[in-house]
Amino acid sequence: MVAASRVVDEGIARPLLIGPRDEILRAAADAQVDATRFEIVPTADGPRTAAEQATALARDGAVDALMKGSLHTDELMAPIIHKGSGLRGTSRISHAFLFDLPRYPKLLGLADCVVNIAPHLPAKRDILGNAIALLQHLGIARPKVGIVAAIETVNPSIPATVDAQALVEMARHGAWPGAIVEGPLGFDNAISSEAARIKRIESQVAGDADLLLVPDLNAGNILYKSFVYIGGGECAGIVLGARVPIVLTSRADWLTARLASVALAMLAAPSAIAGAAGRIVAASTPDTPVRNGAATTGSPA
């Protein structure tokens, strides 16, 4: 509820809360937040009902993004990825983070650390395409992409390096116009031009990457948490590939990450692409406090 209130205060969006009304009002009172600031769409008990209502609003064009409240991720995603929900896009659903890191000179994207567990090559193609499209929409016309692996040479014993080689070949044949895609690159080479120089790697990406594509969820999840808890990074993250962007914040995420993720979703929403004001929706469970809003309307500040 505090996050929903701050979303209003910062002018990012106007929350619309979806879930059992009594639980929403109780959570607002516990957080000392004025619930009259928000529109409420009441639902029956059960997280499934709230998730289905949120999905229906997005499907009908009433909102332009979804945000998870205090229900579990799989409870929200189930109706979204269902073939009958109407929210599947033309590519695989994936997740992308944007990081502001103290020791890196610009924003750095990271995909996929949340949704795809062990993606095969076609899945990585979609993950990469979704993330590149996001960066280009945000104004990075020629994003530099490093496909990271344990080593920077192709080794058939390390499938991630073989996939990296294949993705680079796709890029050379015009799969992602404007993007500069290199790989495999070790993490050190992708982040540090000096490390690449010492290893005599000629690269347009080294030390200047806009996006890193990780080999699987294990590597990505550990890396993104290292960025936050050891590197002091701030992040925003959204799910891509559906008809609307989706915010899946963790219960351990700081308030700044929640606000930044909502702002990123509003920038990536179809209405923002069309130049109009956007709307975002999240859902809550009946048996736990509502921590984020359900639907929000407004434009990014």
Side-chain angles (χ1 to χ4, degrees):
M1 294 302 292
V2 173
S5 183
R6 282 290 302 275
V7 163
V8 176
D9 293 341
E10 300 295 334
I12 300 170
R14 181 162 52 88
L16 183 157
L17 310 180
I18 298 180
R21 181 182 294 274
D22 290 345
E23 293 292 334
I24 291 173
L25 295 178
R26 186 179 303 113
D30 290 345
Q32 298 184 328
V33 170
D34 181 6
T36 63
R37 306 181 77 191
F38 316 124
E39 182 180 352
I40 297 174
V41 176
T43 66
D45 289 349
R48 179 176 178 178
T49 304
E52 289 176 348
Q53 179 65 43
T55 302
L57 286 172
R59 184 178 61 244
D60 294 342
V63 296
D64 292 284
L66 301 177
M67 183 175 185
K68 181 172 75 76
S70 55
L71 75 178
H72 294 294
T73 296
D74 58 348
E75 293 171 331
L76 176 61
M77 293 301 295
I80 291 171
I81 64 175
H82 191 277
K83 290 184 179 179
S85 72
L87 293 188
R88 282 178 174 268
T90 57
S91 68
R92 177 180 293 263
I93 287 176
S94 64
H95 187 278
F97 278 115
L98 282 181
F99 277 91
D100 182 3
L101 298 166
R103 296 183 61 185
Y104 197 69
K106 59 181 180 179
L107 292 179
L108 179 64
L110 196 61
D112 177 345
C113 310
V114 174
V115 173
N116 290 279
I117 298 173
H120 50 36
L121 181 59
K124 289 180 180 179
R125 178 194 61 210
D126 285 353
I127 293 167
L128 185 53
N130 289 341
I132 288 173
L134 173 65
L135 294 181
Q136 290 179 328
H137 172 65
L138 294 177
I140 304 173
R142 293 182 58 79
K144 296 181 179 181
V145 181
I147 305 171
V148 294
I151 57 175
E152 59 274 359
T153 56
V154 178
N155 184 333
S157 297
I158 305 178
T161 65
V162 179
D163 287 349
Q165 182 184 47
L167 291 167
V168 169
E169 191 63 22
M170 292 179 197
R172 287 174 181 161
H173 284 84
W176 305 287
I180 300 170
V181 180
E182 296 183 2
L185 290 173
F187 177 77
D188 54 345
N189 309 321
I191 291 296
S192 169
S193 57
E194 178 64 12
R197 186 192 65 79
I198 292 171
K199 292 186 176 182
R200 298 181 180 179
I201 298 172
E202 294 185 6
S203 171
Q204 299 180 70
V205 173
D208 196 34
D210 297 294
L211 171 67
L212 300 182
L213 181 74
V214 297
D216 56 35
L217 186 142
N218 272 322
N221 195 273
I222 292 169
L223 182 57
Y224 107 73
K225 289 176 179 175
S226 297
F227 280 175
V228 172
Y229 290 100
I230 297 177
E234 301 282 358
C235 70
I238 57 174
V239 173
L240 304 165
R243 288 173 55 186
V244 298
I246 304 158
V247 177
L248 297 179
T249 52
S250 166
R251 288 170 294 176
D253 283 342
W254 297 329
L255 180 60
T256 51
R258 298 172 184 268
L259 298 180
S261 296
V262 172
L264 180 60
M266 301 309 294
L267 290 171
S271 57
I273 296 172
R279 307 187 69 186
I280 183 171
V281 68
S284 65
T285 66
D287 55 353
T288 54
V290 180
R291 303 189 188 281
N292 298 321
T296 56
T297 63
S299 56

